[in-house]
């Protein structure tokens, strides 16, 4: 099983943000990336044999600063890094690939303090260990 904390720690290796969170963004610090579960999905069931993989749906919140241009560039840089990822091991679990759900990051405007935010959504396919 891949946990949100595994994905948060993996994202730290990209060296992009100053802060990384799962769950609530504490104090909404600038230059932060938040990792969230994108939503429940039905279990993967293979007919005739056991499924060899699991899928975790992830949503990343790029909470950057009050400059639209800098925030957009940070979101696109992270998106580009995710798009370039190939098979790798994460906390002892083999990740097969990442499927980016949208063709680009999604601008969701600003928070209550005027900090720009963008969202990146993806599915992460990983080896099942039962």
């Amino acid at each position: 099983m891949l946990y949100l904390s595994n994905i948060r720690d993996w994202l730290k290796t990209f060296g992009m943000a100053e802060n990384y969170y799962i769950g609530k963004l504490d104090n909404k610090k600038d230059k932060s990336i938040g990792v969230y579960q994108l939503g429940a999905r039905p279990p993967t069931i293979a007919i005739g044999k056991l499924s060899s993989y699991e899928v975790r749906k992830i949503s990343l919140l790029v909470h950057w600063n009050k400059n639209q241009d800098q925030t957009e560039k940070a979101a696109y840089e992270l998106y580009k890094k995710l798009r370039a990822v190939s098979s790798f091991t994460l906390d002892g679990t083999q990740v097969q690939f990442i499927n980016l759900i949208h063709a680009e990051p999604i601008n969701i405007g600003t928070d209550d303090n005027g900090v720009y935010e963008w969202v990146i959504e993806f599915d992460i396919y990983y080896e099942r260990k039962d």
Side-chain angles (χ1 to χ4, degrees):
M1 176 71 185
L2 288 181
Y3 296 99
L4 295 178
S5 59
N6 299 129
I7 295 164
R8 176 203 56 207
D9 294 345
W10 168 66
L11 289 172
K12 288 178 181 180
T13 67
F14 290 6
M16 285 197 51
E18 294 175 6
N19 308 286
Y20 297 84
Y21 297 94
I22 54 175
K24 186 176 179 182
L25 286 176
D26 297 330
N27 301 323
K28 293 224 171 183
K29 295 178 183 174
D30 287 359
K31 297 188 178 177
S32 295
I33 296 174
V35 181
Y36 302 90
Q37 177 180 345
L38 183 53
R41 72 181 294 144
T44 304
I45 301 172
I47 297 175
K49 65 178 182 173
L50 294 177
S51 177
S52 63
Y53 67 93
E54 291 282 349
V55 181
R56 187 82 198 254
K57 296 179 77 62
I58 300 296
S59 178
L60 302 179
L61 177 66
V62 179
H63 173 91
W64 215 249
N65 61 25
K66 293 183 179 183
N67 182 299
Q68 162 62 29
D69 185 55
Q70 290 174 7
T71 305
E72 180 180 19
K73 287 177 180 175
Y76 273 87
E77 181 182 347
L78 178 56
Y79 186 91
K80 180 179 163 183
K81 288 177 185 266
L82 290 168
R83 190 176 58 206
V85 168
S86 59
S87 173
F88 64 99
T89 301
L90 181 57
D91 195 37
T93 299
Q94 181 64 37
V95 173
Q96 302 301 326
F97 65 94
I98 291 174
N99 179 43
L100 292 158
I101 295 173
H102 304 285
E104 59 188 357
I106 301 166
N107 181 349
I108 59 170
T110 62
D111 69 359
D112 293 339
N113 296 319
V115 175
Y116 286 93
E117 297 178 321
W118 289 66
V119 171
I120 300 171
E121 299 174 339
F122 63 93
D123 294 333
I124 187 164
Y125 289 75
Y126 63 95
E127 180 181 46
R128 181 181 186 149
K129 293 182 179 179
D130 287 343

